[in-house]
Amino acid sequence: MRNILSALDIGTSKTCALVAEVAEGNGNSGAMAVLGYGVVPCAGLRKGVVVNIDATVESIRHAVVEAEKSAGVKIAAATVGIAGSHIRGFNSHGIVAVRGGEVGARDVDRVIDAARAVAIPLDRQVLHVLPQQFAVDEQEGVHDPVGMAGVRLEARIHIVTAAQSYAQNLVKCCERAGVDATVMVLEPLASAEAALFAEERELGVALVDIGGGTTDIIVFHGGAVMHTAVLPLGGNHLTGDLAAGLRTALADAERLKTAYGVATNIVVGRDEMVSVPGVGGREPRIIARRLLGEILEPRMEEIFAMVQRELIRSGVAEALASGLVLVGGSSLLEGTQELAERVFNLPVRRGLPVNLAGMPEDLMKPMFATVAGLLLMARTNGRPAGSRQRRWNKLRSRVSEWVRDFF
Ligand SMILES: Nc1ncnc2c1ncn2[C@@H]1O[C@H](COP(=O)(O)OP(=O)(O)OP(=O)(O)O)[C@@H](O)[C@H]1O
Ligand SMILES: [Mg+2]
């Protein structure tokens, strides 16, 4: 039987389905070949959560049919991304006594159990339990404690939870579109899987996914996830500001933004002019391109200021030696990198889904990092496979069992 894996990124702007086949071998460890994809607009979400079931189902159905046609296979199940400001990420830690003077895999399981034993409200579900680091007796910063001598084992972990109702709506939409949502993955975790390098995760990096309805943040340091957050602002707000500021239709504002918009006027010449379509049969107007920058820059600055507040509040702002990586469609706005460098005073680069070998050329764009990462994580049942995590094979399988128990 063929081993087909699929990923579904259901976003505020578009739904993207991506299908691959894993070569025969040990489980999912064989080479993966992308077979096809489908991208269609989605109007069923606001700020990252489903607000219109029918529109969302319709969008998923179309994306899946397109992907099935191009791939020549049926999509029955998929790893699905989830975002929205209902997502909460927090750190926790636990301590256990080591049995027999040497840390065994069971001790690691027990300490993770202890660390995740925090009260989680009944209306929330656990999406991810991500180990950060261990300490054996006084020795801190241990990545793999198995086999070490000691009497006390401590674990630090990052837990991500979602509001059950929002998660269930997403599952329901997939089911109605004929797709079983086998695993749900936090979208920025998937984007990071596709766009970040192992060295960046080790040195400290913040990945910021600026989409249509949300801006998602994930911070890595020492190879582990230190912080996650989802902010309810994105490219739709930029388009809205432009439509209001220029008194033009939303669709025209969107076109103007993607063609000529800028996040800062540093990148615009004084004499550059653009044509704005008139509303209700009025004549088009010619305006200075800098006017677009004047409207868009404050909003983009607001988004980055919110990101910065989040980084400072969570105590990770000083740990970003590799700076920021921007993904998501809105990172394509010209001058975004320049503006981010000014706001954060850190190196900033734009990320692409480079970690998925065989990613179709058309999808080699920052807005497809999420779906590429979801496909990479479909191989490991929703667990991050990058860098450090590989050493925790045993641990990972346990964690995924817990996560599955919560569904
Ligand atoms: N060239 C461009 N310049 C500026 N903005 C762009 C460009 N291309 C796309 N965008 C914007 O990117 C946004 C969509 O990004 P993306 O596809 O990452 O969002 P999404 O995943 O559907 O939404 P979300 O993740 O917020 O639910 C839209 O607001 C769109 O206007
Ligand atoms: Mg997105």
Side-chain angles (χ1 to χ4, degrees):
M1 213 176 79
R2 297 174 75 182
N3 186 2
I4 303 292
L5 294 178
S6 307
L8 255 182
D9 174 16
I10 305 157
T12 309
S13 313
K14 50 100 184 49
T15 299
C16 182
L18 189 59
V19 199
E21 176 165 17
V22 181
E24 262 183 59
N26 242 344
N28 281 340
S29 64
M32 189 159 69
V34 175
L35 298 178
Y37 64 90
V39 183
V40 300
C42 180
L45 275 70
R46 284 196 71 171
K47 298 182 181 178
V49 301
V50 176
V51 292
N52 182 330
I53 300 252
D54 289 339
T56 308
V57 171
E58 206 45 35
S59 168
I60 298 172
R61 215 174 255 150
H62 276 150
V64 165
V65 166
E66 256 190 47
E68 286 178 337
K69 260 196 238 154
S70 64
V73 295
K74 287 292 286 175
I75 296 176
T79 296
V80 178
I82 182 166
S85 42
H86 61 102
I87 302 280
R88 300 269 176 282
F90 57 94
N91 294 333
S92 177
H93 72 112
I95 305 177
V96 294
V98 175
R99 288 173 185 160
E102 185 185 306
V103 178
R106 274 191 59 93
D107 297 309
V108 175
D109 289 347
R110 281 171 46 234
V111 77
I112 299 272
D113 266 332
R116 73 192 300 281
V118 286
I120 289 172
L122 283 176
D123 58 351
R124 302 192 68 80
Q125 69 184 54
V126 174
L127 285 178
H128 302 283
V129 174
L130 305 162
Q132 293 170 328
Q133 61 169 6
F134 299 92
V136 182
D137 295 347
E138 298 309 309
Q139 170 108 38
E140 290 193 11
V142 175
H143 294 147
D144 185 1
V146 172
M148 285 181 74
V151 293
R152 194 187 70 141
L153 177 65
E154 189 174 345
R156 295 186 174 279
I157 63 172
H158 187 76
I159 302 177
V160 182
T161 68
Q164 206 136 36
S165 52
Y166 291 131
Q168 275 166 358
N169 281 338
L170 202 57
V171 171
K172 203 186 286 178
C173 289
C174 292
E175 269 166 13
R176 280 191 33 195
V179 179
D180 185 12
T182 34
V183 181
M184 257 195 278
V185 169
L186 179 68
E187 285 170 15
L189 186 63
S191 307
E193 196 71 14
L196 292 184
F197 301 116
E199 312 86 78
E200 290 174 322
R201 280 189 260 220
E202 204 59 45
L203 287 170
V205 69
L207 175 130
V208 180
D209 184 333
I210 318 170
T214 65
T215 294
D216 311 340
I217 308 168
I218 187 160
V219 179
F220 289 82
H221 188 262
V225 174
M226 304 310 286
H227 185 67
T228 50
V230 178
L231 308 174
L233 270 183
N236 290 349
H237 298 86
L238 293 166
T239 306
D241 290 351
L242 211 53
L246 298 176
R247 269 179 256 111
T248 185
L250 271 176
D252 291 328
E254 175 73 22
R255 270 194 292 276
L256 267 176
K257 181 185 80 170
T258 48
Y260 308 110
V262 281
T264 168
N265 273 332
I266 305 172
V267 296
V268 184
R270 290 219 163 269
D271 47 4
E272 286 183 56
M273 306 301 278
V274 296
S275 167
V276 181
V279 187
R282 289 198 194 91
E283 289 291 297
R285 287 170 290 154
I286 304 291
I287 58 158
R289 192 180 171 204
R290 296 181 76 89
L291 185 56
L292 305 185
E294 277 161 30
I295 296 170
L296 296 173
E297 180 166 344
R299 182 64 87 171
M300 209 57 167
E301 241 177 349
E302 183 193 2
I303 293 177
F304 285 140
M306 278 176 82
V307 171
Q308 195 171 35
R309 265 202 302 280
E310 190 63 38
L311 296 176
I312 292 170
R313 196 180 59 76
S314 57
V316 292
E318 302 300 315
L320 304 175
S322 280
L324 269 80
V325 174
L326 304 180
V327 293
S330 300
S331 73
L332 286 173
L333 191 67
E334 212 184 317
T336 298
Q337 202 174 324
E338 286 81 355
L339 180 70
E341 274 167 358
R342 199 179 73 207
V343 172
F344 294 96
N345 201 17
L346 284 168
V348 178
R349 73 169 180 94
R350 193 178 285 137
L352 292 173
V354 290
N355 294 341
L356 178 63
M359 182 73 167
E361 195 53 40
D362 289 350
L363 302 191
M364 222 359 128
K365 295 186 182 139
M367 56 271 243
F368 299 114
T370 310
V371 79
L374 289 170
L375 192 60
L376 286 165
M377 292 174 78
R379 294 179 75 131
T380 49
N381 254 319
R383 296 180 299 265
S387 61
R388 157 109 5 92
Q389 306 275 343
R390 241 171 240 130
R391 284 182 245 156
W392 292 339
N393 266 332
K394 234 187 160 141
L395 188 64
R396 279 191 341 219
S397 57
R398 272 295 298 262
V399 169
S400 83
E401 277 162 31
W402 292 323
V403 173
R404 248 176 281 135
D405 288 347
F406 268 84
F407 279 97

